[in-house]
Short mmCIF file of all heavy atoms in Angstrom, two decimals:
data_model
loop_
_atom_site.label_atom_id
_atom_site.label_comp_id
_atom_site.label_asym_id
_atom_site.label_seq_id
_atom_site.Cartn_x
_atom_site.Cartn_y
_atom_site.Cartn_z
N GLU A 1 -4.71 -13.40 -14.49
CA GLU A 1 -3.73 -14.12 -13.66
C GLU A 1 -2.42 -13.35 -13.65
O GLU A 1 -1.92 -12.94 -14.70
CB GLU A 1 -3.52 -15.54 -14.20
CG GLU A 1 -4.65 -16.44 -13.86
CD GLU A 1 -4.23 -17.86 -13.58
OE1 GLU A 1 -3.04 -18.19 -13.71
OE2 GLU A 1 -5.11 -18.65 -13.23
N VAL A 2 -1.89 -13.17 -12.48
CA VAL A 2 -0.67 -12.39 -12.29
C VAL A 2 0.10 -12.98 -11.10
O VAL A 2 -0.49 -13.57 -10.20
CB VAL A 2 -1.03 -10.90 -12.06
CG1 VAL A 2 -1.86 -10.69 -10.82
CG2 VAL A 2 0.18 -10.01 -12.07
N HIS A 3 1.43 -12.83 -11.11
CA HIS A 3 2.21 -13.28 -9.96
C HIS A 3 1.81 -12.49 -8.72
O HIS A 3 1.53 -11.28 -8.81
CB HIS A 3 3.72 -13.10 -10.21
CG HIS A 3 4.30 -14.20 -11.01
ND1 HIS A 3 4.58 -14.08 -12.35
CD2 HIS A 3 4.64 -15.47 -10.66
CE1 HIS A 3 5.07 -15.21 -12.80
NE2 HIS A 3 5.11 -16.08 -11.80
N ALA A 4 1.82 -13.15 -7.58
CA ALA A 4 1.42 -12.50 -6.33
C ALA A 4 2.22 -11.24 -6.08
O ALA A 4 1.66 -10.21 -5.68
CB ALA A 4 1.58 -13.48 -5.17
N SER A 5 3.53 -11.28 -6.31
CA SER A 5 4.35 -10.09 -6.06
C SER A 5 3.95 -8.94 -6.98
O SER A 5 3.91 -7.78 -6.55
CB SER A 5 5.84 -10.41 -6.21
OG SER A 5 6.11 -10.93 -7.49
N ASP A 6 3.62 -9.24 -8.24
CA ASP A 6 3.17 -8.19 -9.16
C ASP A 6 1.81 -7.63 -8.73
O ASP A 6 1.57 -6.42 -8.83
CB ASP A 6 3.09 -8.72 -10.59
CG ASP A 6 4.44 -9.04 -11.17
OD1 ASP A 6 5.45 -8.43 -10.73
OD2 ASP A 6 4.51 -9.91 -12.06
N LEU A 7 0.92 -8.50 -8.28
CA LEU A 7 -0.39 -8.05 -7.78
C LEU A 7 -0.20 -7.09 -6.62
O LEU A 7 -0.82 -6.03 -6.56
CB LEU A 7 -1.24 -9.26 -7.37
CG LEU A 7 -2.57 -8.95 -6.69
CD1 LEU A 7 -3.49 -8.16 -7.61
CD2 LEU A 7 -3.24 -10.26 -6.26
N VAL A 8 0.67 -7.46 -5.69
CA VAL A 8 0.91 -6.59 -4.54
C VAL A 8 1.50 -5.26 -4.99
O VAL A 8 1.02 -4.19 -4.59
CB VAL A 8 1.83 -7.28 -3.51
CG1 VAL A 8 2.27 -6.31 -2.43
CG2 VAL A 8 1.13 -8.49 -2.89
N LEU A 9 2.53 -5.30 -5.82
CA LEU A 9 3.21 -4.07 -6.22
C LEU A 9 2.33 -3.16 -7.07
O LEU A 9 2.32 -1.94 -6.85
CB LEU A 9 4.49 -4.41 -6.97
CG LEU A 9 5.61 -5.03 -6.13
CD1 LEU A 9 6.71 -5.58 -7.04
CD2 LEU A 9 6.17 -4.03 -5.14
N ARG A 10 1.62 -3.72 -8.02
CA ARG A 10 0.89 -2.89 -9.00
C ARG A 10 -0.51 -2.49 -8.54
O ARG A 10 -0.99 -1.43 -8.92
CB ARG A 10 0.81 -3.62 -10.33
CG ARG A 10 2.16 -3.76 -10.98
CD ARG A 10 2.20 -4.44 -12.34
NE ARG A 10 0.94 -4.66 -13.00
CZ ARG A 10 0.66 -5.75 -13.70
NH1 ARG A 10 1.54 -6.73 -13.81
NH2 ARG A 10 -0.51 -5.88 -14.30
N ARG A 11 -1.15 -3.34 -7.74
CA ARG A 11 -2.55 -3.05 -7.39
C ARG A 11 -2.78 -2.88 -5.89
O ARG A 11 -3.41 -1.92 -5.47
CB ARG A 11 -3.44 -4.20 -7.92
CG ARG A 11 -4.89 -4.05 -7.60
CD ARG A 11 -5.57 -3.00 -8.44
NE ARG A 11 -7.00 -2.99 -8.14
CZ ARG A 11 -7.66 -1.91 -7.78
NH1 ARG A 11 -7.06 -0.75 -7.71
NH2 ARG A 11 -8.94 -1.98 -7.51
N LEU A 12 -2.29 -3.82 -5.09
CA LEU A 12 -2.66 -3.81 -3.68
C LEU A 12 -1.91 -2.78 -2.85
O LEU A 12 -2.51 -2.15 -1.97
CB LEU A 12 -2.49 -5.22 -3.09
CG LEU A 12 -3.26 -6.33 -3.81
CD1 LEU A 12 -3.06 -7.66 -3.12
CD2 LEU A 12 -4.74 -5.98 -3.95
N LEU A 13 -0.62 -2.59 -3.10
CA LEU A 13 0.12 -1.58 -2.33
C LEU A 13 -0.44 -0.18 -2.54
O LEU A 13 -0.60 0.56 -1.55
CB LEU A 13 1.61 -1.62 -2.68
CG LEU A 13 2.51 -2.34 -1.70
CD1 LEU A 13 3.95 -2.35 -2.19
CD2 LEU A 13 2.42 -1.83 -0.29
N PRO A 14 -0.73 0.25 -3.78
CA PRO A 14 -1.33 1.57 -3.93
C PRO A 14 -2.64 1.72 -3.15
O PRO A 14 -2.90 2.78 -2.56
CB PRO A 14 -1.56 1.69 -5.44
CG PRO A 14 -0.50 0.82 -6.05
CD PRO A 14 -0.39 -0.35 -5.09
N LEU A 15 -3.44 0.66 -3.12
CA LEU A 15 -4.67 0.70 -2.33
C LEU A 15 -4.35 0.83 -0.84
O LEU A 15 -5.02 1.58 -0.12
CB LEU A 15 -5.51 -0.55 -2.58
CG LEU A 15 -6.20 -0.66 -3.94
CD1 LEU A 15 -6.85 -2.03 -4.10
CD2 LEU A 15 -7.22 0.45 -4.12
N ALA A 16 -3.37 0.08 -0.38
CA ALA A 16 -3.00 0.14 1.04
C ALA A 16 -2.50 1.54 1.43
O ALA A 16 -2.83 2.04 2.51
CB ALA A 16 -1.95 -0.91 1.36
N TYR A 17 -1.71 2.17 0.56
CA TYR A 17 -1.25 3.54 0.82
C TYR A 17 -2.45 4.46 1.00
O TYR A 17 -2.51 5.24 1.96
CB TYR A 17 -0.38 4.05 -0.32
CG TYR A 17 1.08 3.70 -0.20
CD1 TYR A 17 1.60 2.57 -0.82
CD2 TYR A 17 1.95 4.51 0.54
CE1 TYR A 17 2.94 2.25 -0.71
CE2 TYR A 17 3.29 4.20 0.65
CZ TYR A 17 3.79 3.07 0.02
OH TYR A 17 5.12 2.76 0.14
N GLU A 18 -3.40 4.38 0.07
CA GLU A 18 -4.57 5.24 0.15
C GLU A 18 -5.42 4.93 1.39
O GLU A 18 -5.92 5.84 2.05
CB GLU A 18 -5.42 5.11 -1.12
CG GLU A 18 -6.55 6.12 -1.17
CD GLU A 18 -7.34 6.08 -2.46
OE1 GLU A 18 -6.89 5.45 -3.45
OE2 GLU A 18 -8.44 6.69 -2.49
N GLY A 19 -5.56 3.65 1.70
CA GLY A 19 -6.33 3.27 2.88
C GLY A 19 -5.71 3.81 4.17
O GLY A 19 -6.41 4.32 5.04
N LEU A 20 -4.38 3.72 4.28
CA LEU A 20 -3.73 4.26 5.48
C LEU A 20 -3.86 5.78 5.55
O LEU A 20 -4.01 6.35 6.64
CB LEU A 20 -2.27 3.83 5.53
CG LEU A 20 -2.03 2.33 5.78
CD1 LEU A 20 -0.54 2.03 5.81
CD2 LEU A 20 -2.71 1.85 7.05
N ASP A 21 -3.84 6.43 4.39
CA ASP A 21 -4.09 7.88 4.37
C ASP A 21 -5.49 8.18 4.90
O ASP A 21 -5.67 9.10 5.71
CB ASP A 21 -3.95 8.44 2.96
CG ASP A 21 -2.50 8.54 2.49
OD1 ASP A 21 -1.58 8.48 3.34
OD2 ASP A 21 -2.29 8.66 1.26
N ARG A 22 -6.46 7.39 4.49
CA ARG A 22 -7.83 7.60 4.96
C ARG A 22 -7.97 7.32 6.45
O ARG A 22 -8.85 7.90 7.11
CB ARG A 22 -8.82 6.74 4.17
CG ARG A 22 -8.98 7.23 2.75
CD ARG A 22 -10.09 6.50 2.05
NE ARG A 22 -10.15 6.89 0.65
CZ ARG A 22 -11.09 6.48 -0.18
NH1 ARG A 22 -12.04 5.66 0.24
NH2 ARG A 22 -11.06 6.86 -1.44
N TRP A 23 -7.13 6.43 6.98
CA TRP A 23 -7.13 6.17 8.43
C TRP A 23 -6.40 7.27 9.18
O TRP A 23 -6.43 7.31 10.40
CB TRP A 23 -6.47 4.83 8.76
CG TRP A 23 -7.28 3.61 8.45
CD1 TRP A 23 -6.94 2.61 7.59
CD2 TRP A 23 -8.53 3.22 9.02
NE1 TRP A 23 -7.91 1.63 7.58
CE2 TRP A 23 -8.90 1.99 8.45
CE3 TRP A 23 -9.39 3.81 9.95
CZ2 TRP A 23 -10.09 1.33 8.78
CZ3 TRP A 23 -10.57 3.14 10.28
CH2 TRP A 23 -10.91 1.92 9.69
N GLY A 24 -5.70 8.15 8.47
CA GLY A 24 -4.97 9.24 9.11
C GLY A 24 -3.60 8.83 9.62
O GLY A 24 -3.05 9.49 10.51
N VAL A 25 -3.02 7.79 9.05
CA VAL A 25 -1.69 7.34 9.47
C VAL A 25 -0.65 8.35 8.98
O VAL A 25 -0.72 8.82 7.84
CB VAL A 25 -1.39 5.93 8.92
CG1 VAL A 25 0.04 5.51 9.20
CG2 VAL A 25 -2.38 4.93 9.52
N ASP A 26 0.30 8.67 9.84
CA ASP A 26 1.38 9.58 9.49
C ASP A 26 2.10 9.07 8.24
O ASP A 26 2.49 7.90 8.20
CB ASP A 26 2.36 9.67 10.67
CG ASP A 26 3.58 10.49 10.34
OD1 ASP A 26 3.44 11.71 10.16
OD2 ASP A 26 4.68 9.89 10.25
N PRO A 27 2.29 9.92 7.22
CA PRO A 27 2.92 9.47 5.97
C PRO A 27 4.30 8.84 6.16
O PRO A 27 4.64 7.89 5.45
CB PRO A 27 2.98 10.74 5.12
CG PRO A 27 1.87 11.59 5.63
CD PRO A 27 1.80 11.30 7.11
N ALA A 28 5.09 9.34 7.08
CA ALA A 28 6.43 8.76 7.29
C ALA A 28 6.31 7.32 7.80
O ALA A 28 7.05 6.43 7.35
CB ALA A 28 7.23 9.60 8.27
N ARG A 29 5.39 7.08 8.72
CA ARG A 29 5.19 5.71 9.22
C ARG A 29 4.60 4.81 8.14
O ARG A 29 5.00 3.67 7.98
CB ARG A 29 4.27 5.71 10.44
CG ARG A 29 4.94 6.25 11.66
CD ARG A 29 4.11 6.10 12.87
NE ARG A 29 4.85 6.61 14.00
CZ ARG A 29 4.35 6.79 15.19
NH1 ARG A 29 3.09 6.48 15.42
NH2 ARG A 29 5.09 7.26 16.16
N ARG A 30 3.63 5.34 7.43
CA ARG A 30 3.02 4.60 6.32
C ARG A 30 4.08 4.16 5.32
O ARG A 30 4.15 3.00 4.94
CB ARG A 30 1.98 5.50 5.64
CG ARG A 30 1.34 4.89 4.40
CD ARG A 30 0.82 5.94 3.46
NE ARG A 30 1.92 6.72 2.94
CZ ARG A 30 1.80 7.94 2.43
NH1 ARG A 30 0.62 8.53 2.38
NH2 ARG A 30 2.84 8.59 1.96
N ASP A 31 4.92 5.11 4.92
CA ASP A 31 5.95 4.80 3.92
C ASP A 31 6.96 3.78 4.43
O ASP A 31 7.37 2.89 3.69
CB ASP A 31 6.67 6.07 3.49
CG ASP A 31 5.78 7.02 2.71
OD1 ASP A 31 4.64 6.64 2.35
OD2 ASP A 31 6.20 8.18 2.49
N ARG A 32 7.35 3.90 5.70
CA ARG A 32 8.31 2.95 6.26
C ARG A 32 7.73 1.54 6.30
O ARG A 32 8.37 0.58 5.88
CB ARG A 32 8.74 3.38 7.66
CG ARG A 32 9.77 2.46 8.31
CD ARG A 32 10.27 2.99 9.65
NE ARG A 32 9.23 3.29 10.59
CZ ARG A 32 8.61 2.40 11.37
NH1 ARG A 32 8.95 1.12 11.30
NH2 ARG A 32 7.68 2.75 12.21
N LEU A 33 6.49 1.42 6.76
CA LEU A 33 5.88 0.10 6.90
C LEU A 33 5.54 -0.52 5.55
O LEU A 33 5.86 -1.69 5.30
CB LEU A 33 4.64 0.18 7.79
CG LEU A 33 4.94 0.54 9.25
CD1 LEU A 33 3.64 0.83 10.00
CD2 LEU A 33 5.75 -0.54 9.93
N LEU A 34 4.92 0.23 4.68
CA LEU A 34 4.58 -0.32 3.37
C LEU A 34 5.83 -0.51 2.51
O LEU A 34 5.84 -1.35 1.61
CB LEU A 34 3.53 0.53 2.67
CG LEU A 34 2.16 0.53 3.36
CD1 LEU A 34 1.16 1.37 2.57
CD2 LEU A 34 1.63 -0.87 3.60
N GLY A 35 6.89 0.23 2.82
CA GLY A 35 8.16 0.02 2.14
C GLY A 35 8.72 -1.37 2.43
O GLY A 35 9.39 -1.97 1.58
#
């Protein structure tokens, strides 16, 4: 059990970054949106 914000920051955001990389999303756009 973890707070939703901690789950997003520690586990889900890193996955989303990698997933967008696999989709070929421009890193600058990826960083702005996930930021």
Side-chain angles (χ1 to χ4, degrees):
E1 284 215 357
V2 62
H3 278 102
S5 57
D6 292 334
L7 174 61
V8 171
L9 291 168
R10 292 181 12 218
R11 178 75 176 126
L12 304 182
L13 260 178
L15 288 173
Y17 273 95
E18 187 176 347
L20 291 180
D21 286 343
R22 289 188 185 185
W23 285 119
V25 173
D26 175 67
R29 287 187 179 171
R30 176 205 64 202
D31 292 351
R32 181 175 54 82
L33 294 171
L34 294 182

